[in-house]
Amino acid sequence: MALHSYSKILLHFIWGTHHREKLISETIKLEVENYLINYSKKLDCYPLAIYANPDHVHLLIDILPSVSAEELIKKLKGSSSHFVNQERLTKVKFKWARGYAVFSVSESIKNKVKDYILNQEEHHRIRSYAEEVEMFLKKHDLTKQVNR
């Protein structure tokens, strides 16, 4: 058997709209999700689950080792906001908020994370976006980074 390189890098991204405005309506939700899926594939990254909430997005994605998380999210956010504005999908100028959250995901919990992402509507009946981010920061022991 020849020696080859193998990788499986699963990342869970979360990012929000500028000022947490609820700009992603039900009428444009699928367009935003489909754009992000198709653009990810152009970057040789493979989305496994996506959910565009009115004020934020969750994306579980399989990336290549040559792709940095920071460069990927920069391209996804920049390109998708340009798309939303170019297509005039919102009545006001669409912008993403600065920053993002990203968490590594092991293969053993991939399906649990996918289910979490796809059930966003249910989660947000009991928890706001801000509360959700706080929960993830605590879960991943990142609360100290917030104050850096």
Side-chain angles (χ1 to χ4, degrees):
M1 183 168 133
L3 182 62
H4 297 282
S5 298
Y6 300 97
S7 71
K8 180 76 145 230
I9 303 170
L10 302 174
L11 298 176
H12 177 190
F13 282 97
I14 307 169
W15 71 95
T17 58
H18 189 63
H19 295 303
R20 296 184 178 144
E21 292 179 88
K22 296 184 184 296
L23 297 175
I24 305 172
S25 66
E26 278 299 315
T27 57
I28 72 165
K29 174 183 167 28
L30 284 177
E31 286 183 83
V32 171
E33 290 174 347
N34 286 331
Y35 182 85
L36 288 164
I37 289 167
N38 292 327
Y39 192 70
S40 296
K41 290 176 183 176
K42 286 181 185 175
L43 300 172
D44 289 325
C45 297
Y46 303 95
L48 304 173
I50 188 167
Y51 196 97
N53 289 284
D55 59 352
H56 69 286
V57 172
H58 285 262
L59 172 66
L60 176 63
I61 194 162
D62 186 349
I63 70 169
L64 296 173
S66 58
V67 176
S68 81
E70 186 172 355
E71 195 59 36
L72 175 62
I73 194 66
K74 182 179 176 182
K75 288 178 180 179
L76 289 175
K77 287 171 65 177
S79 181
S80 60
S81 63
H82 178 76
F83 166 75
V84 170
N85 289 317
Q86 185 176 10
E87 297 297 316
R88 296 190 171 121
L89 298 180
T90 58
K91 292 179 182 177
V92 298
K93 183 173 179 173
F94 184 87
K95 291 184 354 183
W96 295 113
R98 284 184 23 185
Y100 60 94
V102 61
F103 307 100
S104 59
V105 176
S106 71
E107 182 67 24
S108 62
I109 64 162
K110 174 181 74 176
N111 289 333
K112 185 177 178 180
V113 174
K114 283 171 76 171
D115 289 344
Y116 180 85
I117 291 171
L118 297 175
N119 287 305
Q120 281 292 291
E121 192 173 339
E122 187 65 32
H123 298 303
H124 288 291
R125 288 185 185 156
I126 57 172
R127 181 179 294 126
S128 71
Y129 171 46
E131 291 168 329
E132 179 181 51
V133 170
E134 185 64 30
M135 176 196 74
F136 273 100
L137 293 176
K138 285 179 183 172
K139 182 178 181 180
H140 292 275
D141 196 25
L142 292 171
T143 53
K144 292 176 188 145
Q145 281 190 18
V146 173
N147 298 320
R148 284 201 263 179

